[in-house]
Amino acid sequence: MVKISIDIGGTFTDVVAETETGLSSVKVLTTPDSPDRGALEGVSRLLTQLGKSYADITAVIHGTTLATNALIERRGAKTAFITTAGFRDVLDMRYEKRFEQYDLNIEMPAALVARPLRLGLPERILADGSVLQAPQDAEIDALAAKIQSEGVEAVAIGFLHSYRNPSHEDYVADRLHKTLGDTVTICKSSDVACEIREFERFSTVCANAYVRPLMSKYLGALKSELNQLGFDGSFLMMLSGGGLTTLEQAMRYPIRLVESGPAGGVALAAHVAREVGSNRTLSLDIGGTTAKICFISDGNPQTTRRFEVARAWRDVKGSGLPVRVPTVELVEIGAGGGSIAGVDSLGRLKVGPRSAGSDPGPAAYGRGGENATITDAHLTVGNIAAEGFAGGMISLTPENAPAAITQHVQKPMGIADTATAAAGIVELADETMANAARVHGIELGHDIASFDLLVSGGGGALHAARIAEKLGIRRIIVPQNAGVGSAVGFLRSPVAFESAISVMALLQSVDAAGLSQRVADQLSDVRAIVEEAVPADRIDTSVKVEMRYQGQGLEIALENAAENFEMDVAGLEAEFVSKYEALVGFTLDNIPIELVSVSVTARERAVPKSQPFEPETGSGGVVTRQVFDLAAQEQVTYRILKRSSLGSDIIQGPAVVTEDQTTTLVRPGWNVRASDHGHLILDRSEA
């Protein structure tokens, strides 16, 4: 049995294999021009190490940022949008408010569909689902002719109130397909995001149509290449919400993959948090391009069904393209190993968000990169060593790192020496990430100092101690295989699928029996999707009800049992009032309660997976290296420890813990030990 997971990031592609004896991994540079090339290179290297062939692989699990990058870089298909006549400018009008009220120079993201290809069709369904005006065949055929003449590759269909009655979208899609055939992708908003709020629904279906040809071609080609090499197992994709789905569903709804890579890191964090008994966990995944933050309570990540992609203005909320898909609630910061450091127009040090990526990469990669990056700074101060970088897969040119820092940071800023400039780069990156976590915690009402910090990614363990110090956190967890954490997280994720039903009715007037039947039908649909990859007796289902006071924008989700689900109006009302008061501090008398939506989920039942951990013995003599400390303004002697040799004995810092895919920096004032599962636990030994 060999299960392979592949995580394609902006800088590195991580490949992990799980066999009966444990986990093995490799890290290779991403090949931006052809991502599947780097992925297959990593798989082949790993199989060679294990003495296995492609025929031995029972499952491949894949996560990628390709859909996100296509949206950010506008590399998707030429797309047309068919909507109710008179409403084609909804994509430009957005929320009819400014995300920065007093900034006169804000930039709104351009719509994915150019205005000439936003086509109005005379039709109308009312808010109650009744038909006011049916679409006419002649009008539909005229739109089909225009789509053909413009060379359109994908069509998004979004009509008013189709969440209530999708019949017009179904009819138009069927007639278009008869004319256009399979050469043009057709997506319906009632399939992709069947919920209220037309701008978000229209934005989501346009995004899905925009990336579907690209993703279908890429995923189909990757699967075909694997099959040609002898692979004949199941192929699963990581979803943004933390579950897995089949290749067919991923190709149909690629917009659900926008955060599939980072979701793997969160899945690993949730799994490890449960193993080590961490009830309040801050997950921090630092890769080559970005850092991702997510809060986890009792082993369950914070999730949402509203997300923004491709923010156009200083990473400000409201400036991106909204999508309504289930996703883990993440904050992303442009601070990874490849983030470029330099001096801004005011003479201040700046780190990120621009990244050197994998090509040309940091200066030390010796691939033509000339800019100073965070990786170059770590190499210069001694946090990492050139030998064995990325498991020996990348041969560094270490002398390039201080040279780049001298040229781009030290001399322009008049800093006394290169080591101080390099340490300043690392310190600013630490502050950027700590501040992002601090602000996100405040937004969610968390006391961040009461959380454990759980880190993953190639850079997580390097930055963890200093970030924890800035946040007042006293415990750090570094999982096994943290350097390829997202790929490991894929292997720990269940197959799952979620779907939502918009209701928008006063709770007291809801047709309880009718809604209960709709929920039962939806549960049957999502179960059928999960049953494509999981036996029926290993599937759990759940129902989540969203409610609000009439006219408010604050919606509160209530969990309900899925088995034999029936609407309990009185029970839901009492639970909503109690939760609203706990969240806001008061309730609203004489204001009716609205039932906004019901979402249903089918999920593979979790099976605990833990490998026994035994530390190596006979680690040899004490080896040290010098690390420059910014606060002390001097070199500090750090012990070098192999991670595989650490056991339950507590070791005082300063120390550097090395392994193939990452390095853990145990700063002065911290100690380190290994848990029963082999995860590193760092505790603060002084204030």
Side-chain angles (χ1 to χ4, degrees):
M1 184 276 290
V2 181
K3 291 176 69 176
I4 296 284
S5 64
I6 306 168
D7 174 32
I8 300 180
T11 304
F12 288 104
T13 292
D14 298 336
V15 183
V16 174
E18 183 175 35
T19 65
E20 293 86 350
T21 58
L23 299 178
S24 303
S25 64
V26 297
K27 187 183 283 282
V28 298
L29 287 171
T30 294
T31 48
D33 58 320
S34 180
D36 53 319
R37 183 161 50 86
L40 291 173
E41 178 190 349
V43 174
S44 296
R45 285 188 183 185
L46 198 51
L47 291 175
T48 300
Q49 288 179 18
L50 295 171
K52 303 285 187 179
S53 70
Y54 280 88
D56 295 318
I57 302 174
T58 55
V60 170
I61 304 170
H62 183 27
T64 177
T65 57
L66 190 60
T68 313
N69 294 341
L71 292 169
I72 293 171
E73 299 168 13
R74 300 304 170 100
R75 292 187 293 101
K78 186 175 184 179
T79 304
F81 176 48
I82 298 176
T83 189
T84 305
F87 288 85
R88 68 173 180 167
D89 289 323
V90 165
L91 293 179
D92 284 332
M93 296 168 67
R94 297 171 60 86
Y95 297 109
E96 298 183 351
K97 64 181 180 181
R98 298 167 63 86
F99 56 83
E100 286 281 6
Q101 185 173 355
Y102 301 110
D103 193 330
L104 300 181
N105 299 311
I106 62 172
E107 298 174 10
M108 306 299 286
L112 293 173
V113 181
R115 195 169 190 268
L117 288 179
R118 294 181 228 151
L119 311 174
L121 179 69
E123 67 80 42
R124 192 63 179 267
I125 286 176
L126 300 180
D128 63 358
S130 60
V131 176
L132 178 65
Q133 181 181 2
Q136 301 300 307
D137 290 351
E139 299 277 1
I140 301 171
D141 293 342
L143 294 183
K146 181 174 178 60
I147 288 167
Q148 283 182 315
S149 67
E150 293 287 344
V152 167
E153 302 168 86
V155 176
I157 303 173
F159 294 143
L160 290 185
H161 307 302
S162 62
Y163 63 87
R164 182 78 74 182
N165 179 355
S167 60
H168 286 185
E169 289 192 0
D170 293 341
Y171 184 81
V172 172
D174 288 343
R175 190 165 184 89
L176 285 176
H177 184 260
K178 290 175 183 176
T179 304
L180 303 175
D182 294 329
T183 58
V184 177
T185 292
I186 299 174
C187 298
K188 300 177 290 184
S189 75
S190 52
D191 283 345
V192 178
C194 192
E195 299 184 62
I196 60 166
R197 297 189 172 96
E198 62 267 19
F199 168 52
E200 293 178 352
R201 182 160 49 87
F202 292 176
S203 176
T204 306
V205 72
C206 286
N208 195 74
Y210 186 76
V211 300
R212 192 155 93 175
L214 172 72
M215 293 299 294
S216 296
K217 180 180 178 181
Y218 162 71
L219 293 174
L222 179 58
K223 177 66 159 50
S224 176
E225 288 178 274
L226 286 167
N227 290 152
Q228 290 173 17
L229 291 167
F231 168 66
D232 191 32
S234 59
F235 193 117
L236 300 173
M237 292 295 300
M238 186 73 184
L239 293 168
S240 301
L244 304 176
T245 193
T246 61
L247 183 65
E248 291 72 23
Q249 290 298 323
M251 294 168 73
R252 187 180 181 191
Y253 303 115
I255 195 62
R256 290 180 176 240
L257 308 178
V258 288
E259 288 294 290
S260 65
V266 175
L268 173 68
H271 174 80
V272 172
R274 290 190 291 268
E275 280 193 337
V276 301
S278 176
N279 297 322
R280 297 165 66 83
T281 316
L282 170 59
S283 168
L284 175 61
D285 182 358
I286 306 176
T289 306
T290 57
K292 282 77 67 176
I293 293 166
C294 181
F295 284 92
I296 299 171
S297 298
D298 297 321
N300 297 306
Q302 197 101 19
T303 59
T304 181
R305 285 193 294 112
R306 297 167 181 85
F307 186 70
E308 273 187 0
V309 183
R311 287 179 176 173
W313 188 248
R314 300 173 185 170
D315 204 34
V316 174
K317 184 178 182 181
S319 68
L321 299 170
V323 291
R324 292 292 294 263
V325 295
T327 180
V328 292
E329 187 154 355
L330 290 165
V331 169
E332 294 197 38
I333 314 107
S339 294
I340 295 171
V343 181
D344 67 12
S345 59
L346 297 178
R348 301 171 302 185
L349 177 63
K350 181 181 180 182
V351 180
R354 254 190 345 124
S355 174
S358 61
D359 187 13
Y365 282 13
R367 297 166 58 89
E370 297 180 353
N371 291 303
T373 67
I374 293 175
T375 294
D376 295 312
H378 281 303
L379 195 60
T380 300
V381 299
N383 291 339
I384 59 176
E387 300 79 19
F389 184 77
M393 296 296 177
I394 301 173
S395 297
L396 296 184
T397 309
E399 62 271 16
N400 288 1
I405 292 170
T406 298
Q407 178 184 350
H408 294 288
V409 177
Q410 182 204 345
K411 288 183 177 179
M413 295 190 70
I415 297 173
D417 58 82
T418 303
T420 300
I425 292 170
V426 176
E427 178 72 10
L428 182 55
D430 290 337
E431 180 56 37
T432 300
M433 289 182 274
N435 189 59
R438 191 181 295 116
V439 171
H440 190 43
I442 291 170
E443 289 173 345
L444 297 174
H446 293 316
D447 173 16
I448 197 167
S450 66
F451 280 70
D452 298 328
L453 179 62
L454 193 152
V455 293
S456 58
L462 277 169
H463 292 268
R466 186 69 181 120
I467 291 173
E469 290 169 3
K470 290 175 178 290
L471 297 174
I473 291 174
R474 304 189 65 84
R475 188 185 189 214
I476 298 168
I477 304 161
V478 184
Q480 280 206 80
N481 300 289
V484 288
S486 288
V488 176
F490 298 166
L491 296 169
R492 300 292 175 258
S493 301
V495 178
F497 203 82
E498 179 179 336
S499 183
I501 305 167
S502 272
V503 182
M504 285 308 300
L506 294 179
L507 185 61
Q508 295 297 333
S509 63
V510 166
D511 176 6
L515 182 57
S516 296
Q517 185 58 51
R518 287 181 67 192
V519 171
D521 293 342
Q522 199 81 352
L523 278 168
S524 178
D525 291 343
V526 296
R527 281 189 69 98
I529 290 171
V530 177
E531 283 177 9
E532 293 176 17
V534 178
D537 60 355
R538 287 174 47 200
I539 297 175
D540 292 327
T541 53
S542 61
V543 176
K544 188 180 292 183
V545 179
E546 280 196 346
M547 302 166 66
R548 69 182 184 187
Y549 281 114
Q550 187 178 27
Q552 279 201 341
L554 174 61
E555 292 148 11
I556 292 178
L558 307 176
E559 295 279 355
N560 282 261
E563 294 301 322
N564 302 316
F565 174 80
E566 291 185 7
M567 284 293 300
D568 177 6
V569 172
L572 286 174
E573 181 174 5
E575 188 178 355
F576 169 81
V577 170
S578 174
K579 194 165 183 178
Y580 187 95
E581 184 173 17
L583 182 65
V584 180
F586 58 86
T587 58
L588 302 178
D589 297 331
N590 303 317
I591 303 294
I593 296 170
E594 283 182 318
L595 178 55
V596 178
S597 66
V598 180
S599 61
V600 299
T601 303
R603 179 178 295 268
E604 179 185 9
R605 190 172 301 119
V607 177
K609 294 181 179 180
S610 296
Q611 295 289 339
F613 171 73
E614 290 292 337
E616 293 179 358
T617 56
S619 58
V622 176
V623 182
T624 64
R625 77 164 171 249
Q626 299 300 301
V627 175
F628 182 79
D629 188 286
L630 184 63
Q633 279 290 298
E634 64 181 11
Q635 300 285 345
V636 176
T637 301
Y638 277 61
R639 296 173 60 189
I640 300 177
L641 307 169
K642 287 181 62 178
R643 175 164 184 159
S644 56
S645 68
L646 294 183
S648 58
D649 292 340
I650 295 174
I651 297 175
Q652 297 291 333
V656 173
V657 183
T658 62
E659 55 186 301
D660 280 351
Q661 312 298 359
T662 190
T663 297
T664 301
L665 202 63
V666 186
R667 286 172 52 83
W670 291 83
N671 59 57
V672 62
R673 62 180 174 85
S675 73
D676 293 341
H677 300 93
H679 310 305
L680 296 186
I681 308 295
L682 280 69
D683 290 299
R684 194 116 177 242
S685 54
E686 62 180 47

